[in-house]
Amino acid sequence: MKSKRIHSASRAAGLLRTLAIDIGGTGLKASVLDGAGHMVVKRLRVPTPHPCRPEILMRAIADLVAPLAPFDRISIGFPGVVRDGNVVTSPHFDADAWRDFPLEHAISHHFGKPARLLNDAEVQGLGIIAGRGLEVVLTLGTGVGSAVFSQGALTPHLELAQHPIRKDMTYNDYVGDAARHDLRKKKWNKRVVRMIAIVDSLLHFDVLHIGGGNAANLHVDLPANVRLASNDAGLTGGIRLWDEAVWAAVRR
């Protein structure tokens, strides 16, 4: 009886551990977070399988997570539109196979733990925003992720990645990973700067945070209100999905 009381007191004190999963177009990452959102083990990363249908991704996640420390709950970031725990779009994967797939429930059921699912850029944003004014998050990876926050509250999702930015090119086409490899470094950097100016003209942000793996390839002077963010925030931001005020606002 005494051990049960100690266990309950530890949980009430915020010692729940969170498995954070960051699903990317080219890589899957995972770690376990303590109650403050710090990684208690080094993050693990494996290539995202291709083709990537739901059953294939589930097996890859299970293999990735197997060596990690025990956890009590799960946070997941997914590269696409997510609504009420279901995948609406999956631009980097098999769109038909993923349409309306209940990924949140599937992962929760597989591991036997409660899970919460959000767009990957939104998860990263929750890990880096200051909570003041209008803050925009853009992630540069396989494609372009986006999230918008007003006074720290997440606004309705904008899938800028699929929006035209120049002629018949989307944001993904314009500055995604394929474009980075096809273009000279200087030209790709100029495109990113042009994209920032376009997003500013659309939203008039107070601060823009740029994350994602390809943020490290930016070698250009950025505006004073544009900041580079740690790519680890795609995992550590997962702790905020278990802030009940944040989650209630997301689900509304």
Side-chain angles (χ1 to χ4, degrees):
M1 181 66 71
K2 183 178 179 181
S3 64
K4 288 184 177 179
R5 286 199 299 268
I6 293 173
H7 180 78
S8 298
S10 295
R11 292 300 183 248
L15 297 182
L16 289 167
R17 288 193 168 187
T18 303
L19 169 64
I21 302 170
D22 184 3
I23 299 170
T26 57
L28 305 177
K29 292 174 285 186
S31 186
V32 175
L33 312 177
D34 64 16
H38 302 131
M39 288 190 282
V40 299
V41 293
K42 186 177 180 180
R43 75 173 189 179
L44 300 180
R45 184 188 186 282
V46 296
T48 301
H50 288 283
C52 190
R53 298 173 63 86
E55 64 276 12
I56 296 173
L57 180 67
M58 291 296 298
R59 287 197 297 270
I61 289 174
D63 291 342
L64 173 65
V65 169
L68 291 175
F71 53 89
D72 304 287
R73 58 195 185 183
I74 308 167
S75 296
I76 313 119
F78 184 85
V81 177
V82 171
R83 190 169 297 141
D84 296 329
N86 301 322
V87 175
V88 178
T89 67
S90 55
H92 304 298
F93 305 141
D94 185 327
D96 291 335
W98 280 97
R99 188 172 293 114
D100 298 325
F101 183 76
L103 182 59
E104 182 179 278
H105 172 76
I107 289 180
S108 176
H109 178 74
H110 178 85
F111 290 104
K113 306 288 184 181
R116 292 179 176 178
L117 172 72
L118 205 59
N119 169 269
D120 59 341
E122 293 172 344
V123 173
Q124 185 165 42
L126 288 170
I128 57 179
I129 61 170
R132 296 186 297 272
L134 186 67
E135 295 177 88
V136 175
V137 177
L138 295 177
T139 59
L140 302 176
T142 306
V144 179
S146 60
V148 182
F149 298 84
S150 179
Q151 302 299 338
L154 183 62
T155 69
H157 184 70
L158 295 175
E159 190 70 358
L160 283 179
Q162 307 305 316
H163 195 271
I165 187 172
R166 181 176 172 80
K167 297 181 179 180
D168 60 345
M169 286 190 290
T170 65
Y171 282 67
N172 278 354
D173 299 327
Y174 195 60
V175 295
D177 199 48
R180 185 181 68 83
H181 286 290
D182 289 343
L183 300 171
R184 299 188 309 276
K185 292 180 181 179
K186 185 175 181 180
K187 186 169 183 179
W188 182 80
N189 273 258
K190 282 185 175 180
R191 283 191 175 186
V192 174
V193 170
R194 193 175 297 127
M195 177 191 68
I196 291 170
I198 291 170
V199 173
D200 192 20
S201 71
L202 287 171
L203 296 170
H204 301 284
F205 51 75
D206 293 301
V207 178
L208 170 65
H209 305 274
I210 297 183
N214 278 337
N217 293 299
L218 281 174
H219 304 289
V220 65
D221 291 333
L222 297 170
N225 61 342
V226 177
R227 299 167 187 171
L228 297 181
S230 168
N231 202 29
D232 285 345
L235 292 171
T236 58
I239 197 69
R240 297 289 311 284
L241 272 61
W242 295 95
D243 180 321
E244 295 305 326
V246 170
W247 192 245
V250 168
R251 280 295 159 96
R252 281 200 300 270

